[in-house]
Amino acid sequence: MMGIIYEQSHQQQADGGSLWLLVTVLIAALVTSTYMTWFWALSRRLTGPKVWPLFGSLPSLLANRARMHDWISDNLRATGGAATYQTCILPLPLIARRQGLVTVTCHPRNLEHVLRTRFENYPKGPQMQAAFHDLLGGGIFNSDGETWLLQRKTAALEFTTRTLRQAMARWTNRSIRDRLWRILADHCADGRAVDLQDLLLRLTFDSICGLTFGKDPETLSPSLPHNPFTVAFDAATEATLQRLLFPGFFWRLKKALRLGSEGRLWKSLEVVDRYMTAAIAERKESPSDDLLSRFMKKRDAHGNSFSSSVLQRIALNFVLAGRDTSSVALSWFFWTVMRRPDVERRLVDEITAVLKETRGPEPAAWLVEPLGFDELERLVYLKAALAETLRLYPSVPQDTKYVAADDVLPDGTMVPAGSTINYSIYSLGRMETIWGKDCREFRPERWLSAEGYRFEPAKDPYQFVAFNGGPRTCLGKDLAYLQMKSIASAVLLRHRLELVPGHRVQQKMSLTLFMKNGLRVYVRPRNHCGDLVCSSTDQVRATPAGVATAPAA
């Protein structure tokens, strides 16, 4: 009898287990079916690259991470004249239409709407500010509202002064005359290749430090010394960018445990903080006319002096902007010019024509000093070539905005509050609907007047936003052009550059459009009127001080 009861009990348990398994399978099937129906409806409303259940467009993004900007550009061109698409990076109910939704655009009217017309509705946003806070704090490039406005107004007063432009020219020309020319001449004499991008980064870093702190760290020296601050700053920037690839809770957990990139960020920031603390302390003891000293005299919204921590973040923001953007633009400029001898010839002809008028017909007189402020102002074709470089290879290839309240873009695209707008500056210069059939061609003439003697900016300012637009338009735009023209003319006047055979130029996925492998070049002497210029270091010491297609790279 007991055996029969046991068997019946065992059978009931088995039947109960099977029933629960069946119920579980049915529930799972119902949930999956419901989710897939919801996902199908969501994906039909999206207009961008293929999205996958649970993972959204992240698989495609990761698969194309080595050519992200070109991938985004391909997606935008596929929309035709719309130049806008929407995708989802987190396709989950209640999240997908807000935090998971990303609107990608390069439509000029949409850019104008976001950057100017509804500026207040599109701040940096909490995600971006949180990711960059440890590095940039509440500096001008990582703040919104009153905090940003106060710094903007304070900086605007300084950047509009002629004295600041003169100071930038002074710091840049000193580095060119005393160090860059000598380094290039050394490599010209012995035939060794040099990483031009590295030289440019060092030069612009020394210049912006001089302008910001009144102190030249001389990282551009013949020995190309190791500089702990620049190494730490680069590492901190790269680690900060990695935060944008993951959900906030994930990088915050890594930060708490100091794992991986967050551990490297913490160590790098220690080095950066020590350098900045010392620079601020030195300026407090002996103020000068540099940017840091000028901000020390200013007051915050409450009438108080800026604290050392605030001054540190303000200065660091200017170093970030002043070092990377100009050097990156110049790297792409020289790479393009090396592949376009017709452009190079016209650039050199323009430089020498100006110098003949200002310094006389003798080439030796042209090499005494880098070009001065008034001479640089006359280099119209050089400015056009730099603008064309920035159109195709903008130093900051894309930017992101947070949608504060529901809105509709001028092209009819609905953007819900909490979602993100990514505007692709890189794609903007590659759209036929915006720049015509020759949009991928490097043609400086598009920036010149009909007679070719006057620089003409884009008729629609939102067709070219390499210097941003609206209230956040770059305050250092004129300084950047001045510095780039000074460096470009100084190099082209003395030297021809040749790309090292086999050297692969690739974009590096970072905040700015760095070349992943640098720019390895051979330095050759420039021939003026049959005389070779700067063929050896001794000569430097003796000297008185066609249309090609721009590839994706």
Side-chain angles (χ1 to χ4, degrees):
M1 178 65 75
M2 291 297 294
I4 294 173
I5 294 174
Y6 174 78
E7 287 180 6
Q8 290 177 340
S9 174
H10 183 72
Q11 183 65 41
Q12 289 173 351
Q13 289 178 356
D15 291 342
S18 299
L19 180 61
W20 276 111
L21 178 60
L22 178 61
V23 170
T24 301
V25 170
L26 289 174
I27 291 174
L30 179 62
V31 170
T32 302
S33 165
T34 303
Y35 173 78
M36 291 306 295
T37 302
W38 172 86
F39 177 79
W40 175 80
L42 171 71
S43 61
R44 281 175 60 86
R45 294 195 297 269
L46 300 175
T47 53
K50 182 178 177 61
V51 290
W52 302 83
L54 300 179
F55 299 105
S57 58
L58 288 178
S60 299
L61 181 64
L62 292 173
N64 289 278
R65 63 187 180 276
R67 56 179 301 272
M68 184 187 302
H69 304 306
D70 286 300
W71 176 68
I72 291 173
S73 184
D74 292 343
N75 293 333
L76 286 168
R77 279 198 301 272
T79 67
T84 301
Y85 67 84
Q86 289 186 310
T87 187
C88 184
I89 58 173
L90 202 60
L92 297 174
L94 306 179
I95 296 177
R97 298 297 296 172
R98 300 277 179 179
Q99 294 92 333
L101 182 69
V102 178
T103 302
V104 183
T105 186
C106 67
H107 194 296
R109 298 287 66 75
N110 288 347
L111 298 187
E112 181 179 19
H113 183 83
V114 171
L115 299 177
R116 186 181 69 85
T117 309
R118 291 293 313 279
F119 171 75
E120 295 80 5
N121 194 49
Y122 298 96
K124 291 283 184 180
Q127 291 91 347
M128 285 286 291
Q129 288 179 327
F132 281 89
H133 181 77
D134 290 332
L135 177 62
L136 300 179
I140 193 170
F141 299 114
N142 195 44
S143 57
D144 291 310
E146 291 300 322
T147 302
W148 166 80
L149 186 60
L150 176 64
Q151 292 184 57
R152 173 80 182 191
K153 288 181 177 179
T154 303
L157 293 173
E158 304 301 338
F159 274 84
T160 54
T161 61
R162 184 179 177 87
T163 56
L164 195 65
R165 291 195 295 272
Q166 291 172 335
M168 171 59 83
R170 185 172 64 251
W171 284 107
T172 300
N173 286 352
R174 182 184 300 172
S175 295
I176 291 171
R177 181 189 63 241
D178 297 342
R179 303 198 291 274
L180 179 65
W181 274 349
R182 178 173 180 176
I183 292 170
L184 291 178
D186 287 343
H187 285 271
C188 186
D190 59 27
R192 289 178 295 126
V194 64
D195 182 356
L196 186 62
Q197 179 177 251
D198 180 54
L199 295 185
L200 295 170
L201 279 166
R202 290 170 181 268
L203 192 158
T204 53
F205 176 72
D206 290 350
S207 298
I208 194 61
C209 282
L211 191 67
T212 305
F213 310 124
K215 179 181 179 182
D216 184 352
E218 297 190 8
T219 62
L220 181 71
S221 297
S223 63
L224 300 180
H226 170 83
N227 184 277
F229 173 77
T230 57
V231 173
F233 189 58
D234 286 342
T237 303
E238 188 169 336
T240 298
L241 285 170
Q242 290 191 31
R243 290 178 169 181
L244 301 180
L245 301 177
F246 304 103
F249 73 87
F250 184 75
W251 67 256
R252 285 184 174 88
L253 178 61
K254 288 177 63 180
K255 176 183 176 180
L257 300 175
R258 292 180 180 172
L259 296 176
S261 59
E262 290 296 324
R264 293 191 295 274
L265 175 61
W266 176 69
K267 292 178 181 178
S268 299
L269 288 177
E270 283 191 322
V271 177
V272 171
D273 287 345
R274 282 198 298 270
Y275 183 92
M276 298 297 292
T277 299
I280 291 171
E282 183 176 333
R283 269 294 154 260
K284 284 186 174 181
E285 290 182 6
S286 55
S288 183
D289 64 346
D290 52 74
L291 280 172
L292 185 58
S293 297
R294 296 179 187 209
F295 266 90
M296 286 178 177
K297 301 173 185 176
K298 306 296 181 182
R299 297 287 184 269
D300 63 19
H302 305 290
N304 301 317
S305 300
F306 290 116
S307 66
S308 294
S309 61
V310 171
L311 288 170
Q312 175 174 325
R313 297 309 174 191
I314 290 173
L316 203 58
N317 275 252
F318 285 122
V319 171
L320 174 65
R323 186 194 76 147
D324 292 354
T325 51
S326 293
S327 57
V328 166
L330 283 167
S331 296
W332 290 107
F333 166 81
F334 283 117
W335 176 72
T336 304
V337 168
M338 280 187 280
R339 299 163 63 251
R340 287 291 301 275
D342 59 318
V343 172
E344 180 178 10
R345 183 69 264 162
R346 186 167 174 182
L347 288 167
V348 174
D349 286 347
E350 180 183 60
I351 295 167
T352 56
V354 169
L355 290 173
K356 285 177 183 177
E357 292 185 15
T358 59
R359 304 186 187 184
E362 293 300 321
W366 306 343
L367 307 175
V368 175
E369 292 280 342
L371 274 72
F373 181 79
D374 293 330
E375 292 170 322
L376 293 171
E377 284 293 298
R378 298 172 62 178
L379 300 180
V380 176
Y381 187 74
L382 175 55
K383 184 174 182 179
L386 289 167
E388 184 71 345
T389 301
L390 288 167
R391 183 182 71 84
L392 289 167
Y393 303 102
S395 298
V396 180
Q398 65 182 37
D399 202 358
T400 300
K401 297 292 185 181
Y402 175 80
V403 183
D406 292 352
D407 197 11
V408 179
L409 300 180
D411 67 355
T413 303
M414 297 184 64
V415 285
S419 66
T420 299
I421 288 185
N422 184 328
Y423 62 97
S424 175
I425 306 169
Y426 183 87
S427 302
L428 183 63
R430 288 170 157 71
M431 297 294 288
E432 287 188 13
T433 54
I434 298 172
W435 288 96
K437 293 288 186 181
D438 64 350
C439 62
R440 293 170 69 84
E441 297 170 358
F442 184 84
R443 196 167 64 83
E445 291 77 14
R446 74 176 82 240
W447 297 92
L448 299 176
S449 59
E451 68 278 6
Y453 300 121
R454 188 176 69 255
F455 179 86
E456 289 191 345
K459 292 181 174 60
D460 180 352
Y462 293 92
Q463 288 183 347
F464 179 74
V465 291
F467 293 98
N468 217 322
R472 281 190 181 267
T473 297
C474 177
L475 289 169
K477 176 181 176 179
D478 292 337
L479 283 180
Y481 270 125
L482 174 67
Q483 184 183 47
M484 290 190 292
K485 288 165 77 173
S486 181
I487 297 170
S489 61
V491 174
L492 291 171
L493 183 63
R494 285 176 175 257
H495 298 289
R496 290 183 300 104
L497 303 175
E498 297 176 5
L499 191 67
V500 172
H503 177 68
R504 190 177 179 189
V505 174
Q506 288 179 285
Q507 298 172 9
K508 180 180 179 181
M509 291 305 108
S510 62
L511 190 64
T512 45
L513 201 65
F514 285 113
M515 292 178 174
K516 184 178 180 180
N517 306 310
L519 184 60
R520 301 283 298 173
V521 302
Y522 290 119
V523 184
R524 308 299 187 203
R526 173 74 64 191
N527 190 324
H528 291 294
C529 303
D531 297 321
L532 290 182
V533 178
C534 291
S535 58
S536 71
T537 305
D538 292 336
Q539 279 184 287
V540 173
R541 291 169 182 162
T543 300
V547 173
T549 299

